[in-house]
Amino acid sequence: MDKLFLQLNVCTELIEKFTNIESLNRFCATFHKFASKLKNFLPKTDVDGYSKIHIETIYLCFTQIISCITQLERTINIEDSGGSPLLATRTHFRDRIEWCLRRLQASIYQLNEEAIASTPVKLEELSFVELLDLALDKLESYSDIVEEEQDDLFDAREHLQLVDQVNHIVRHALAFANVALESDKKALTAICETVLDECVTFEKNFENYNRNERKLEALSLQRALYSVETYLNEALLRLIFNSLGETSYISELKNALQQSESSADVEKLICDFDINVDRIQQIGVFAIAFTPDVKTKTIIRSCLASLESLDACIVPAFQFQATTSALYHANILENHFKEELLMFRNVVHEIIDSRALISNYLDILDESIDNAATLYPKGHLLKVSQMGNVLFEHFQLKVNYQELTEDVEGKRLHQDFIAILRECQAVLEISIQVDLKRIIKRLKILYSVLAKLRDVCDRLVYQRSVCKNEKSMTTSTQLRNASQSFTNPERGNTIVNRSSTSLNQESDLLSFHLTEILRIT
């Protein structure tokens, strides 16, 4: 262990003295050697508690350091091609690497402490899904009690633990509600209030209930928790349609600040940018919660960490582009933001259940068609049609489109979807006045095509399920209702392999092997 700490100190010294590509290569070689030895020290089996948290932190730091190395290499290449020294850019990525090295040291130290194995994880450290599983399992146990003499199994401490779990579930849901669409914010807040009311009732009369009364109250609280889960899944998908379909806002913000547009317009763009970053963070938090694969969690966490670090410095970088080096600095940060966002979107699309995504968009379309004549202007309908780009991007990924290639009708309907989506967007973007009935007719055709495409996806999933002799129900929380689920229950662990490879495609650092570092045992 002492050798690991010594080697980590060497890595810190090398990055502090970093000046050129040779010194960066020396750091990479040393860090690669350190990471390879550290992997042999990490537990080879699944672990729980704080050990799991620190192991996940270690792999997050690995991924972040790799990402920063790639950006430093690009910075050096720009400087070597005749550009001015990019001191601000170097400092930004070097500081992130040094922060990760410090976190690595802290996590390794904690893992080396024998006491950590018996330290219980705090509820604050658990995800929404983990908390939900704990609470629902406890409520299920109340329903399983059949003997009067077993009532004393549930002491006051146990049901108070349940109350704490429910409170933390509500906190997760309300944190999401803060960045959700306005209608979802109100609905989710109301559902959370119902959950809290049910929990208060359950807690207040717990000791006075007999077995049957306790079972009925447990079922009532259980239904309320299921309502939170179901609605949050749906609201999460709606937020994806509103947040991940449009990525040009970062370039618009940069151009507006560069061209010194009116302060009101700039403030609105900055506000929209902050809201989008907050929404992406919440989407990522729940994507991590709904994802069992540690590799996928690591990539999502790394993307969120990169976007969070950029959030604090990218607007100031866009505001001050008076010199060549400042312009290069802004460009590097902009490209880094876009790359991390693209990777994040791809991972989310590979996790997400295609049927649930289509169903959610069908609901949006249906509501827009019904109210087009009375409530919604043409601009709203254009925005709804542009949300369809999220589905287009979803099926652009090979892992999602491959499902449709198994079926002739599925391939045809996918092509029909692309054609009618483009037609809807074209008729809404055209400057001349178009009869509303013609617009609605095309939206209805889009709805019909997507409904058939969803049916094909349902059939393909059912056929695979029959072939594999899988059970139609699962006890996993995020898969309780597959039609409303955020995650695809049939995905393998292919996400990180493709994503991690794409991280290193442009790297010329021969001493550094990304895929080896990220191969989690």
Side-chain angles (χ1 to χ4, degrees):
M1 181 55 65
D2 290 339
K3 291 182 179 180
L4 279 175
F5 283 122
L6 288 173
Q7 203 157 23
L8 189 57
N9 290 335
V10 173
C11 290
T12 303
E13 292 173 2
L14 286 173
I15 198 62
E16 288 175 351
K17 299 175 182 178
F18 148 72
T19 55
N20 52 28
I21 196 69
E22 288 76 19
S23 59
L24 186 60
N25 265 311
R26 283 195 294 273
F27 168 78
C28 290
T30 306
F31 181 72
H32 178 267
K33 186 177 180 181
F34 158 78
S36 300
K37 289 184 177 180
L38 177 59
K39 283 181 62 180
N40 294 327
F41 164 78
L42 298 178
K44 298 297 187 295
T45 57
D46 292 337
V47 293
D48 295 317
Y50 280 111
S51 293
K52 178 182 177 182
I53 292 171
H54 286 296
I55 291 172
E56 290 176 351
T57 300
I58 287 170
Y59 281 112
L60 170 61
C61 290
F62 282 174
T63 315
Q64 274 291 287
I65 289 172
I66 291 162
S67 178
C68 292
I69 287 170
T70 305
Q71 300 303 322
L72 282 175
E73 185 185 9
R74 291 176 181 172
T75 302
I76 294 170
N77 289 337
I78 291 174
E79 293 173 338
D80 291 346
S81 64
S84 305
L86 306 179
L87 299 180
T89 313
R90 284 169 169 255
T91 301
H92 172 78
F93 293 108
R94 186 180 60 204
D95 287 349
R96 279 170 62 182
I97 291 176
E98 290 177 349
W99 183 89
C100 288
L101 292 174
R102 291 194 297 271
R103 286 300 301 269
L104 277 172
Q105 187 173 33
S107 293
I108 296 168
Y109 175 79
Q110 292 295 331
L111 280 175
N112 196 39
E113 294 293 312
E114 293 182 3
I116 196 172
S118 59
T119 303
V121 177
K122 298 177 182 178
L123 292 180
E124 292 81 1
E125 304 286 351
L126 297 179
S127 70
F128 174 82
V129 171
E130 290 168 330
L131 288 164
L132 200 59
D133 280 338
L134 287 175
L136 291 173
D137 287 345
K138 176 56 67 178
L139 289 169
E140 189 69 31
S141 68
Y142 290 122
S143 300
D144 290 340
I145 294 301
V146 294
E147 300 293 340
E148 290 284 354
E149 57 268 20
Q150 288 183 288
D151 281 355
D152 61 355
L153 290 176
F154 304 112
D155 58 25
R157 185 176 60 183
E158 284 191 341
H159 90 267
L160 287 176
Q161 288 175 348
L162 173 63
V163 171
D164 286 341
Q165 291 162 5
V166 171
N167 286 335
H168 280 83
I169 289 169
V170 170
R171 288 177 192 173
H172 278 279
L174 290 178
F176 174 80
N178 285 335
V179 300
L181 304 179
E182 195 61 36
S183 58
D184 287 331
K185 180 183 298 185
K186 294 178 180 178
L188 197 52
T189 301
I191 294 172
C192 287
E193 289 175 356
T194 301
V195 170
L196 290 175
D197 290 341
E198 294 285 354
C199 190
V200 168
T201 302
F202 184 81
E203 177 188 13
K204 184 178 180 181
N205 300 309
F206 180 84
E207 294 183 1
N208 298 325
Y209 285 152
N210 61 36
R211 185 183 69 250
N212 291 327
E213 289 172 333
R214 187 175 293 163
K215 178 177 179 179
L216 288 173
E217 289 299 328
L219 288 172
S220 182
L221 180 54
Q222 192 177 44
R223 283 194 296 269
L225 289 173
Y226 276 123
S227 296
V228 171
E229 180 193 27
T230 300
Y231 196 91
L232 195 145
N233 264 302
E234 296 170 352
L236 187 56
L237 291 170
R238 282 189 286 272
L239 194 63
I240 285 172
F241 279 111
N242 281 270
S243 301
L244 295 188
E246 181 60 55
T247 59
S248 61
Y249 58 86
I250 185 69
S251 297
E252 291 174 4
L253 175 60
K254 179 188 170 189
N255 293 334
L257 289 168
Q258 189 176 30
Q259 297 167 11
S260 301
E261 294 185 7
S262 67
S263 58
D265 292 339
V266 170
E267 286 179 7
K268 184 180 184 305
L269 287 172
I270 293 175
C271 181
D272 291 343
F273 171 77
D274 290 337
I275 290 172
N276 271 309
V277 171
D278 289 341
R279 287 177 169 176
I280 288 166
Q281 290 288 335
Q282 278 298 314
I283 290 170
V285 166
F286 282 93
I288 291 168
F290 286 131
T291 306
D293 178 38
V294 65
K295 295 182 181 180
T296 307
K297 290 176 187 285
T298 300
I299 292 298
I300 297 174
R301 285 194 178 100
S302 180
C303 291
L304 294 182
S306 295
L307 295 175
E308 185 178 7
S309 67
L310 289 168
D311 185 32
C313 63
I314 198 166
V315 171
F318 288 170
Q319 287 174 324
F320 304 103
Q321 302 179 59
T323 64
T324 303
S325 60
L327 184 62
Y328 277 129
H329 177 60
N331 288 339
I332 290 174
L333 295 188
E334 178 191 9
N335 290 331
H336 183 36
F337 186 94
K338 288 180 176 178
E339 288 170 358
E340 295 293 330
L341 182 57
L342 177 61
M343 188 183 306
F344 176 79
R345 287 168 56 189
N346 287 345
V347 174
V348 168
H349 275 303
E350 292 192 1
I351 295 170
I352 209 165
D353 181 64
S354 301
R355 296 162 296 163
L357 195 64
I358 295 174
S359 293
N360 199 274
Y361 186 57
L362 285 174
D363 291 340
I364 296 172
L365 269 178
D366 185 47
E367 196 262 346
S368 299
I369 291 170
D370 286 345
N371 297 286
T374 56
L375 295 179
Y376 296 141
K378 185 178 176 181
H380 174 83
L381 296 178
L382 174 59
K383 182 180 178 181
V384 169
S385 70
Q386 289 172 339
M387 288 179 187
N389 293 334
V390 174
L391 273 176
F392 173 78
E393 293 162 0
H394 180 77
F395 287 109
Q396 284 295 103
L397 294 180
K398 184 178 178 181
V399 67
N400 295 326
Y401 180 68
Q402 190 171 2
E403 295 182 352
L404 300 180
T405 61
E406 301 172 9
D407 188 271
V408 175
E409 184 184 9
K411 291 178 66 175
R412 178 183 61 79
L413 286 169
H414 176 255
Q415 295 302 315
D416 291 345
F417 157 67
I418 294 174
I420 188 60
L421 178 65
R422 289 173 178 169
E423 189 172 339
C424 287
Q425 292 173 353
V427 77
L428 286 163
E429 289 171 352
I430 196 168
S431 58
I432 63 175
Q433 188 67 29
V434 180
D435 187 359
L436 182 61
K437 291 182 179 179
R438 293 177 60 189
I439 296 174
I440 294 176
K441 180 180 178 180
R442 281 163 176 77
L443 290 175
K444 287 182 176 179
I445 295 173
L446 176 60
Y447 182 97
S448 176
V449 170
L450 279 175
K452 293 176 182 177
L453 187 62
R454 179 185 58 184
D455 291 342
V456 169
C457 291
D458 283 336
R459 188 179 74 248
L460 292 173
V461 170
Y462 174 75
Q463 289 172 351
R464 284 196 299 272
S465 178
V466 171
C467 290
K468 296 177 182 179
N469 196 26
E470 294 178 344
K471 296 181 180 180
S472 60
M473 297 294 290
T474 178
T475 56
S476 177
T477 300
Q478 69 270 28
L479 307 180
R480 287 190 183 97
N481 186 347
S483 64
Q484 303 296 338
S485 175
F486 178 73
T487 53
N488 188 332
E490 307 224 350
R491 286 288 141 77
N493 297 334
T494 59
I495 298 169
V496 177
N497 291 333
R498 281 192 295 277
S499 301
S500 59
T501 302
S502 66
L503 269 172
N504 205 35
Q505 283 177 348
E506 300 178 11
S507 179
D508 294 327
L509 297 169
L510 300 179
S511 60
F512 199 79
H513 305 290
L514 172 65
T515 51
E516 183 176 344
I517 293 295
L518 282 182
R519 192 180 300 120
I520 302 174
T521 54

